[in-house]
Amino acid sequence: ALKFYRESLKVFRDLADPYYEAMCLNNIGGVYLSTGQFSDALTNFKLALQLRQKMGASLDIAETLHNMGETSVGMSRYNQALDHYLHALPLWRTAGDRRKAAIESYSIGTVREYLGRYGQMLESKEEAVGIFNDLDEGGYWQIVVLSGYGRALVLVGRFDEADENLNVALRLAQELENAAFIVKVLESLGDSHFYRGELDEALRRYEEASEAAL
């Protein structure tokens, strides 16, 4: 894929086509991001962003900003990641793309968790959950958001609400037969009971998670 994108990049540069040049740069950055080559990813995303900003393509700008946020998270540069996400969010909102706005809000909440800002974390993830509940997609991202929100509620000690969201996430993960999420949600449910001192129930959930991982 990388070879193809680089060849395409050269063609569009020769044609002086900034739209597709930026698309190629963004795609190259995506390949580097997926393989953990964060510095190379960031370099290409920055070049893509410069072109997209010159063209004023707000949704494309938001996409690249989000990608830069993901890359910064991979580099443990959480304040930079937060800045990228916060700049992308209003662009999705202005465009009326509620789904992408919800994903951005969730990403913001996740970074705020890394930074220890639990109150702001909860606010951002709660917003994402509300949108995905309205959309009622029942797919991958709804599981991500519900399980992440449930985990956030565990961290702030709102255990009953945490269990409610985690159990919905568990049901969706089981319907999709997504073993990785089943394990993750069961572990969070175990943590919820552990922090309440309900050790037998916590152990039961942890054992279920171990079995699901096999």
Side-chain angles (χ1 to χ4, degrees):
L2 194 56
K3 179 182 177 182
F4 170 77
Y5 289 140
R6 282 174 173 163
E7 290 174 351
S8 299
L9 175 61
K10 185 179 184 305
V11 170
F12 291 120
R13 277 179 172 165
D14 290 343
L15 293 172
D17 189 328
Y19 177 84
Y20 285 105
E21 181 183 347
M23 181 183 293
C24 290
L25 286 165
N26 190 73
N27 290 339
I28 290 170
V31 173
Y32 281 129
L33 174 59
S34 68
T35 56
Q37 299 176 72
F38 301 122
S39 180
D40 289 328
L42 200 57
T43 296
N44 283 276
F45 287 140
K46 285 180 178 178
L47 292 171
L49 182 63
Q50 289 172 5
L51 290 171
R52 289 178 162 179
Q53 287 175 329
K54 287 179 181 178
M55 291 183 289
S58 60
L59 293 183
D60 292 336
I61 292 168
E63 178 189 35
T64 300
L65 284 168
H66 177 82
N67 291 340
M68 292 173 71
E70 296 288 284
T71 306
S72 296
V73 168
M75 302 171 83
S76 299
R77 298 176 179 174
Y78 300 126
N79 283 307
Q80 288 182 16
L82 183 58
D83 184 62
H84 294 316
Y85 291 144
L86 287 171
H87 279 87
L89 179 58
L91 298 176
W92 296 123
R93 286 175 172 167
T94 300
D97 192 329
R98 299 184 69 214
R99 186 177 186 278
K100 290 288 182 65
I103 292 171
E104 211 69 59
S105 291
Y106 180 81
S107 299
I108 290 168
T110 299
V111 173
R112 284 172 167 167
E113 178 182 341
Y114 295 152
L115 292 169
R117 303 174 187 175
Y118 290 155
Q120 293 178 326
M121 163 199 72
L122 202 60
E123 180 182 342
S124 296
K125 290 192 174 184
E126 195 168 54
E127 178 181 345
V129 167
I131 293 173
F132 270 99
N133 284 343
D134 287 344
L135 296 174
D136 195 25
E137 293 182 351
Y140 170 84
W141 268 105
Q142 188 156 12
I143 300 172
V144 171
V145 168
L146 281 170
S147 62
Y149 180 53
R151 176 68 183 171
L153 289 166
V154 170
L155 292 174
V156 299
R158 290 164 56 178
F159 301 118
D160 290 340
E161 293 174 74
D163 289 355
E164 181 181 347
N165 284 275
L166 289 169
N167 280 316
V168 175
L170 179 61
R171 175 179 57 78
L172 292 173
Q174 289 169 334
E175 288 175 0
L176 292 180
E177 299 181 351
N178 189 317
F181 270 116
I182 291 171
V183 171
K184 184 176 181 179
V185 175
L186 286 169
E187 288 176 343
S188 292
L189 283 165
D191 290 344
S192 177
H193 291 290
F194 177 81
Y195 292 129
R196 275 179 282 190
E198 299 171 357
L199 301 186
D200 288 341
E201 185 63 18
L203 180 60
R204 183 177 75 83
R205 289 300 194 176
Y206 292 145
E207 288 174 342
E208 288 179 354
S210 295
E211 291 173 3
L214 299 177

